[in-house]
Amino acid sequence: MVNTFNFTNWSRLNWDEIIDKRIIIDIKDVTNLNYINTAEHFLVIWNEYNFPVIESSLSKIIESFDDVIAVGFDTWIVNFEIGIIIENYHEGEITIGKKKY
């Protein structure tokens, strides 16, 4: 993941390199974005390196979001092929964006 997206020294995504960045209140708000297809599969990556990475459709991740984010301190939901990443920061902020190519 760090080869595709740059991170800050405090392990937060460097959002300066992401286009169409948005802070959302509720994970369900991603369905309002025109570049998001919730049928697409995304990887769920937690901040703990020894936790497994899981893959599921974004719609299933959204349905189980509270359980998904309960696993780790910070959570990233990413689709590398289309360059979309969602960061759930441990302070409660959810940010979504598309990588510049």
Side-chain angles (χ1 to χ4, degrees), residues 34-53:
N34 62 357
Y35 59 84
I36 296 288
N37 176 355
T38 59
E40 293 271 355
H41 277 236
F42 281 70
L43 299 174
V44 177
I45 303 169
W46 292 280
N47 64 307
E48 187 64 42
Y49 74 92
N50 60 350
F51 286 176
V53 173

Side-chain angles (χ1 to χ4, degrees), residues 6 8 15 20 37 41 53 55 57-58 60 65 68 79 92 97:
N6 288 325
T8 64
W15 287 103
D20 202 9
N37 176 355
H41 277 236
V53 173
E55 180 179 358
S57 68
L58 186 56
K60 293 291 185 189
F65 191 69
V68 169
N79 181 309

Side-chain angles (χ1 to χ4, degrees), residues 3 10 13-15 20 25 29-30 34 38 42 47 52-53 61 63 83 95:
N3 293 331
W10 55 94
L13 200 66
N14 183 353
W15 287 103
D20 202 9
I25 304 301
D29 293 342
V30 301
N34 62 357
T38 59
F42 281 70
N47 64 307
V53 173
I61 295 168
E63 281 178 33
T95 310

